[in-house]
Amino acid sequence: MSVASFYQSKSFKNHWIDFWFGALLLGFYCITVGFLVFPSNSGIQSSYYSLVVIPMFALLPVIRPSKVNLKLLFIFLSAPVYLAISSFWADPNIATAYREPVFFFKLVLLLLLLFLAVRMLLDRNPEFPITWVYVMAFVGGVSAVASLADYLITHHSVLPNKFPRFKGLIWGGDTNRVAAFYTAAFLANLFVFFNASKMYKWLAAVSVVPLVACVLLAQSKVPLAVILCSVFVVIFSALKRGNKLWVLIAFALLLAIGLWLAFGTNTFSRQYSFFIRGEIWSVALEELGSQWFFGAGLNYRVSLVADGTTFGQAHSFIIDAMRFGGIVVVCLLISQIITGLLNAYRHIANPIVMFLLVWWLSGMGTALVEAQQPLIRPSYVWFLYWIPLIMIIQVCDTKQSVRTTTD
């Protein structure tokens, strides 16, 4: 068939759908893999508005998701909707920065569009998450190498006598969050290592090295715990398969991490970080007072003062959500978490589901000690919590639909 006849055989509607699906797929890559590339949050948000929101508004009038599980959608949106509604009774006089309630309902719409976007991408290509994880793995490795090179250039005068905390080149140099992003890339490389062909397997093994180095230099405890647990899983898997080479490599990596923690950094000697978080959480909960059940209502920002220092958020997405939405929003978030865990458990034999689950759990671990309430514009909380949760719900729902149809 000639090129001319090919184009004649396709309607304008088909061209329209193909074009906007391509933009949507690119947007999905940008708002996930982009955390490992963009130097600031503005790149994530610009990608979302231009390459997810616009394509979705262009596609929805002409094509619909094949199936949207309304029960799962309700559970997913319950906490964001409640937080948005709570903004109606929030006191603007206590806000460090105030937004009208309509702002928060726009954020609910952004989450809804991402939920539907993932559903539509899975309808078009159920296997696209596998390619996506490959890209995340190798882009993460390259990003880590670039950040390490910058670290060496910037701090060469004090190395190796002193190792300043690693901030990277990405996402504004926020140490703990950068470590969480690179941990997700580390997990993606483990997925590739256990599921890819030999060439990609070795490339993943090489990519792991700079990623682990970034997390160790960042001295961030939750990502470090995830990596240590992952090394033990590799050792167990290698022993089960009788692969002595990978047992030795994993043990060598474990030994190197142990020596680094013992002699290389002050990761476990920074007691202030433990103390100040406890005080921040205590102050946040004390501010609830008699509003503990429904919450004080969501404001864009309400600063907290702990130990004489002002903080813009409570350094825990559960505590921060609770001070705005009370016990009600905590219960709604717990229902989300239980739903995600149950869906993942039913399909735990699927490697992509296992990857998503571990990413989500490690992200939640970071969010429990580092993040703000979850109803925000596309930003780090999306990477730690919303994106892996959406992927777990939609991928598992796709597998369930396929199994039901087959039966």
Side-chain angles (χ1 to χ4, degrees):
M1 181 185 292
S2 67
V3 174
S5 61
F6 170 77
Y7 279 102
Q8 290 172 3
S9 67
K10 297 190 73 175
S11 66
F12 174 78
K13 178 182 176 181
N14 290 333
H15 285 301
W16 178 271
I17 291 172
D18 290 344
F19 174 81
W20 288 113
F21 259 112
L24 185 62
L25 182 61
L26 178 61
F28 181 80
Y29 275 80
C30 286
I31 65 164
T32 52
V33 180
F35 281 93
L36 302 166
V37 176
F38 292 123
S40 68
N41 195 48
S42 60
I44 303 295
Q45 294 180 357
S46 298
S47 298
Y48 187 81
Y49 299 135
S50 59
L51 293 172
V52 175
V53 174
I54 293 176
M56 284 300 291
F57 280 119
L59 286 168
L60 285 174
V62 295
I63 189 171
R64 300 286 191 278
S66 63
K67 176 192 173 186
V68 176
N69 190 316
L70 295 180
K71 179 182 177 182
L72 292 176
L73 178 59
F74 174 79
I75 293 172
F76 173 76
L77 287 180
S78 58
V81 168
Y82 180 79
L83 284 170
I85 292 173
S86 76
S87 65
F88 284 109
W89 66 76
D91 182 1
N93 296 317
I94 66 170
T96 310
Y98 177 74
R99 294 289 188 277
E100 295 290 339
V102 67
F103 171 82
F104 298 106
F105 284 96
K106 289 178 182 177
L107 302 185
V108 174
L109 176 61
L110 296 184
L111 286 169
L112 172 61
L113 288 174
L114 183 61
F115 188 93
L116 296 177
V118 172
R119 175 76 267 154
M120 292 172 72
L121 288 170
L122 285 167
D123 288 344
R124 194 167 178 87
N125 180 11
E127 300 302 320
F128 97 87
I130 296 176
T131 304
W132 164 60
V133 177
Y134 275 61
V135 173
M136 181 183 292
F138 300 131
V139 168
V142 172
S143 174
V145 169
S147 290
L148 286 174
D150 176 75
Y151 180 86
L152 291 173
I153 293 170
T154 303
H155 301 293
H156 70 277
S157 60
V158 298
L159 299 174
N161 298 319
K162 180 182 178 182
F163 291 92
R165 291 192 72 186
F166 173 85
K167 295 185 177 181
L169 295 172
I170 58 175
W171 217 85
D174 187 298
T175 299
N176 292 316
R177 293 165 194 170
V178 166
F181 301 155
Y182 281 135
T183 300
F186 167 82
L187 295 172
N189 274 285
L190 285 189
F191 171 87
V192 173
F193 178 79
F194 283 113
N195 296 281
S197 61
K198 192 171 184 179
M199 180 184 73
Y200 289 115
K201 189 184 295 287
W202 281 102
L203 187 56
V206 171
S207 296
V208 158
V209 176
L211 290 165
V212 172
C214 289
V215 174
L216 289 175
L217 288 169
Q219 304 174 36
S220 188
K221 298 174 184 63
V222 174
L224 175 62
V226 173
I227 286 180
L228 287 172
C229 290
S230 300
V231 173
F232 282 114
V233 170
V234 172
I235 292 172
F236 175 78
S237 177
L239 286 171
K240 188 176 179 180
R241 299 181 184 186
N243 192 324
K244 296 180 181 179
L245 174 61
W246 289 111
V247 171
L248 290 174
I249 292 174
F251 267 117
L253 180 59
L254 192 63
L255 178 62
I257 292 173
L259 291 172
W260 174 263
L261 293 176
F263 304 108
T265 68
N266 62 339
T267 301
F268 296 105
S269 63
R270 293 181 287 107
Q271 300 299 326
Y272 180 75
S273 62
F274 293 103
F275 156 75
I276 196 62
R277 276 177 172 77
E279 186 167 335
I280 294 171
W281 298 341
S282 177
V283 170
L285 294 177
E286 286 174 4
E287 288 185 356
L288 270 171
S290 61
Q291 299 170 304
W292 60 271
F293 190 79
F294 292 107
L298 181 59
N299 271 306
Y300 183 71
R301 178 171 297 173
V302 178
S303 295
L304 297 166
V305 178
D307 194 35
T309 304
T310 300
F311 298 90
Q313 39 98 347
H315 283 71
S316 170
F317 87 113
I318 291 287
I319 301 294
D320 212 45
M322 184 175 178
R323 70 175 176 143
F324 295 119
I327 293 295
V328 174
V329 80
V330 172
C331 292
L332 294 175
L333 288 170
I334 290 173
S335 71
Q336 286 182 348
I337 293 169
I338 291 173
T339 299
L341 291 174
L342 288 176
N343 275 271
Y345 176 74
R346 295 188 188 105
H347 302 275
I348 200 66
N350 188 322
I352 192 71
V353 174
M354 173 64 81
F355 162 73
L356 291 169
L357 176 62
V358 177
W359 172 16
W360 185 46
L361 291 175
S362 65
M364 274 198 293
T366 300
L368 284 171
V369 297
E370 181 62 26
Q372 65 188 99
Q373 58 83 20
L375 186 58
I376 63 175
R377 284 176 286 190
S379 189
Y380 71 100
V381 175
W382 284 44
F383 188 88
L384 300 178
Y385 185 78
W386 291 122
I387 291 173
L389 174 59
I390 290 173
M391 290 300 296
I392 286 172
I393 290 174
Q394 298 289 32
V395 169
C396 291
D397 195 42
T398 299
K399 301 298 181 185
Q400 182 68 34
S401 299
V402 171
R403 190 174 68 181
T404 303
T405 302
T406 304
D407 294 343

